[in-house]
Amino acid sequence: MAFEGLAERLQGSIQKIRGKGKVNEADVKEMMREVRLALLEADVNFKVVKSFVKQVSERAVGQEVMTSLTPGQQVIKVVKEELTELMGGEQSQIAVGKKPPTVIMMVGLQGAGKTTTAGKLAGLLRKKHNRKPLLVAADIYRPAAINQLETIGKQLSLPVFSMGDQVSPVEIAKAGIEKAKEEHHDYVLIDTAGRLHVDEELMDELKQIKELSSPDEIFLVVDSMTGQDAVTVAQNFDDALGVTGVVLTKLDGDTRGGAALSIRSVTGKPIKFVGMGEKMDALEPFHPERMASRILGMGDMLSLIEKAQTNVDEDKAKEMEKKLRTASFTLDDFLEQLGQVKQMGPLDELLKMIPGANKMKGLDNIDMDGKQLSHVEAIIQSMTVKEKEQPEIINASRRKRIARGSGRPIQEINRLLKQFEEMKKMMKQMTNAQGKGKKRGGMNFPFMQ
Amino acid sequence: MSFFKKLKEKFTTQDTATDKYKDGLSKTRNSFTSRLNDLVANYRTVDEDFFEELEEIMIQADVGFDTVMTLVEELKMEVKRQNIKDTEGIRSVISQKLVEIYYNGEEPDELLNFKENDLTVILFVGVNGVGKTTTIGKLAHQFKNEGKKVVLAAGDTFRAGAIEQLEVWGNRVGVDVIKHSEGSDPAAVMYDAVHSAKAKKADVLICDTAGRLQNKVNLMKELEKVKRVIEREIPDAPHEVLLALDATTGQNAMTQAKIFKEATNVTGIVLTKLDGTAKGGIVLAIKKELGIPVKFVGLGEKMDDLQPFNAEKYVYGLFSDLVDKEELIDDEEERE
């Protein structure tokens, strides 16, 4: 999961200063060197890192820290505040044009994921906002790009406007908007060809499309794995077109995602959406404050709850919540939840949203892809009612029987039982932590005590 | 004679390929070398601040954190050893070290492993959107021009329009494309493609695969299976497994290289989109840490914009401003 590595490194460098009763300039300098390296290693642009480090250092050796009774804590608080600042403020909404249709232009480098994102965004507009979007295929350069958008349109049952690859993109955009007006679409998404930010000819073409279609939003689509160059790219596109927002793609990879921090801080343009997977519904609104706390390892319960709300029906969710809270969770419940959890997305990503989960032992090696889930289902279904309620009674001969019944090796059954035990333990820990309150440190929260 | 002069001598007969390198890398070179020159101009003496700034320049070129650290450590030693006091003297040492890091004391393996008079299978892997299909099109064009019989396998059965994209390239270049329908098993496509290529007595089979993020365990397993199927049909195939790498990618490229290598035993890298402002410096680190050489670079969108990689040319492209300057200094010295 993106940002995980960055969070780990930051937490590591901060650990050293946490309990200090006295903080001198050398301590701060030492810590800031590590913070700096952590950010650089995460592909945060070096200029951004520099100003961040400067900002924190100044505040950290200033009055507010030195006069504090717990200076170690104070320094950490400063880091947290500055990092949250870097991530940007409130979540920003997608614009609505004064007169329909609202026009959105997708721009970016080759291979950033514009076409896929255009499709996902159109799907989101219809599903969440009840809109009637029209996709316009204006990428005439890449072979089969139009075909790709048309296929995506078919998958989502959304209309796609195209004129083949022999008409200029400017014409296509114009005709597309006309068509949207005629057919009363309230959103038009123009998928443009990927281009280099230094390709003047093609950048001019984008300017023409912009002039002609006066878009309400120009989304710059950026690959979250982009390195230091992200800033140059974003700046050039912004200078040429006046970008209104950024969509960060492929964030379901294991990139440390520093590009997100850099683009926000250098261009001042908000990140509006993040691409979280290859499925057509894997596009999420970006919540800067939540992302900041995720980077800091403080979890993101809000997103988890929202995910549960959209994917799990309410009665069942309540039941699940109760079970989670009382930790009276049997393998049967586990099986039932599996189906729902599957709908919510990969388990490891859900776990990342739980505060402190990244610090818990055992959780890091729970790895469940789709096939493994069905294996787990088969194993549980091969158990007797009693076994499901009291897994501790499962002895060697029962294990053998379950293995035969499910067609899975015994080791897998052992592993499942162990993982289930770990999950139960985790839930207990969670409920305990809630009871005790964060302040007492029931769990290992970075930045908090 | 300076290090740069030696480099330059290798290119006294400047062929078009070198020009293409220079063109493609001009943006890359300008920002990198101008910053390096600024650095030299800004600092008179070699001190801690100088090294810190140098670290940042390297990091900004996406060279890779550990490599930068190694380089800086070695430079510090060199400065002590040669008793370099001013920044002018250190400039040539910097670039020399970079080349050394890439070569790492071994003879680089930049040529493709071709089977004489038999089918050569090349498998392309990589994350989404790095330019695998485009590179395959360009490579097919190149092989065709060399008089080879080429067959392409449309192994990206996942992404919408991917098969059509490869077909368009197939038509453009004039080579056969073996395909199944969208959503079918890529391993089955490979099986058919291998048999079809054999039956057609093709020289090269280039296999496309769907882009996948390296942390998707099941997708990486699928890729292992694709490779296994090829291996089963032709025991020493695939003869090359090429990882397409976007030059704009940052530190994540190292993880990409590492995990794709574990899954498919990557034999080389194609560094794509090097015609932008990105520097692709991470390839130095990847070569150093994983021993995977770069075999091709993508320098533009045209069919012939794929160039075989040559470390010296690459470095020359990166540093050609510096080379010219160095030479100027040398010439002046000689005149005096």
Side-chain angles (χ1 to χ4, degrees), chain B residues 186-197:
Chain B
V189 179
M190 295 310 162
Y191 180 88
D192 277 3
V194 168
H195 284 272
S196 170

Side-chain angles (χ1 to χ4, degrees), chain A residues 36-37 41 43 46 110-111 142-144 147-148 196-197 225-229 250 252-255 278, chain B residues 59-60 62 65 128-129 158-160 164-165 168 213-216 248 250-252 256 273 275 277-278 301:
Chain A
R36 172 177 162 266
L37 295 185
E41 220 182 7
D43 288 326
F46 93 108
Q110 293 96 333
R142 183 168 55 107
N147 191 298
Q148 184 186 355
L196 285 173
H197 50 290
M225 291 177 281
T226 311
Q228 297 286 322
D229 207 39
K250 307 176 204 173
D252 51 326
D254 54 9
T255 170
E278 299 198 14
Chain B
I59 281 165
Q60 232 213 337
D62 287 322
F65 185 74
N128 317 60
F158 181 82
R159 203 201 70 204
E164 288 82 357
Q165 188 181 348
V168 172
L213 295 175
Q214 70 275 14
N215 62 338
K216 307 280 176 196
T248 48
Q251 300 308 295
N252 194 248
Q256 287 174 25
K273 309 184 201 173
D275 47 333
T277 46
E301 295 200 302

Side-chain angles (χ1 to χ4, degrees), chain B residues 5-67:
Chain B
K5 207 157 184 198
K6 279 181 220 151
L7 252 186
K8 181 120 191 177
E9 238 167 40
K10 295 199 171 186
F11 302 102
T12 36
T13 47
Q14 285 220 352
D15 50 304
T16 48
T18 313
D19 283 342
K20 265 196 182 302
Y21 260 86
K22 282 188 76 172
D23 289 349
L25 278 170
S26 60
K27 268 128 203 158
T28 312
R29 190 186 63 228
N30 284 345
S31 50
F32 188 82
T33 42
S34 61
R35 283 187 50 80
L36 210 54
N37 286 338
D38 285 352
L39 177 68
V40 172
N42 286 345
Y43 290 90
R44 285 266 137 241
T45 54
V46 180
D47 55 13
E48 269 304 306
D49 287 344
F50 174 84
F51 281 118
E52 196 155 303
E53 181 107 19
L54 180 67
E55 266 172 48
E56 271 166 4
I57 292 177
M58 294 294 174
I59 281 165
Q60 232 213 337
D62 287 322
V63 167
F65 185 74
D66 292 334
T67 311

Side-chain angles (χ1 to χ4, degrees), chain A residues 143-304:
Chain A
I146 297 173
N147 191 298
Q148 184 186 355
L149 195 66
E150 278 170 346
T151 310
I152 288 172
K154 238 176 262 162
Q155 279 170 13
L156 293 163
S157 315
L158 281 169
V160 176
F161 178 80
S162 62
M163 296 169 78
D165 58 5
Q166 299 301 317
V167 185
S168 92
V170 185
E171 290 297 315
I172 297 175
K174 196 169 137 191
I177 294 170
E178 279 312 309
K179 167 115 170 157
K181 280 181 190 159
E182 272 166 38
E183 297 183 354
H184 304 291
H185 289 282
D186 46 12
Y187 272 89
V188 178
L189 285 91
I190 305 172
D191 177 32
T192 67
R195 63 202 74 213
L196 285 173
H197 50 290
V198 285
D199 188 329
E200 279 172 36
E201 201 180 312
L202 284 178
M203 290 304 279
D204 276 343
E205 181 193 281
L206 283 184
K207 283 183 203 161
Q208 281 176 41
I209 297 179
K210 185 197 168 185
E211 223 156 90
L212 207 128
S213 57
S214 38
D216 304 281
E217 294 269 22
I218 299 176
F219 283 160
L220 176 67
V221 182
V222 183
D223 186 329
S224 60
M225 291 177 281
T226 311
Q228 297 286 322
D229 207 39
V231 166
T232 323
V233 173
Q235 237 162 8
N236 280 28
F237 270 98
D238 193 27
D239 289 348
L241 298 164
V243 167
T244 62
V246 176
V247 181
L248 216 56
T249 61
K250 307 176 204 173
L251 208 57
D252 51 326
D254 54 9
T255 170
R256 295 188 175 174
L261 293 164
S262 324
I263 293 175
R264 173 63 183 70
S265 118
V266 169
T267 64
K269 294 298 152 71
I271 295 162
K272 295 215 173 179
F273 293 96
V274 289
M276 296 299 294
E278 299 198 14
K279 292 212 188 84
M280 270 302 136
D281 58 356
L283 185 75
E284 295 172 9
F286 182 74
H287 301 277
E289 72 285 11
R290 294 184 198 173
M291 195 57 90
S293 72
R294 215 194 278 191
I295 290 186
L296 300 175
M298 292 162 67
D300 182 9
M301 281 307 266
L302 273 176
S303 290
L304 183 63

Side-chain angles (χ1 to χ4, degrees), chain A residues 403-416:
Chain A
R404 271 203 307 275
S406 60
R408 304 304 311 164
I410 282 191
Q411 295 91 307
E412 217 165 285
I413 289 144
N414 292 338
R415 204 183 316 144
L416 169 70

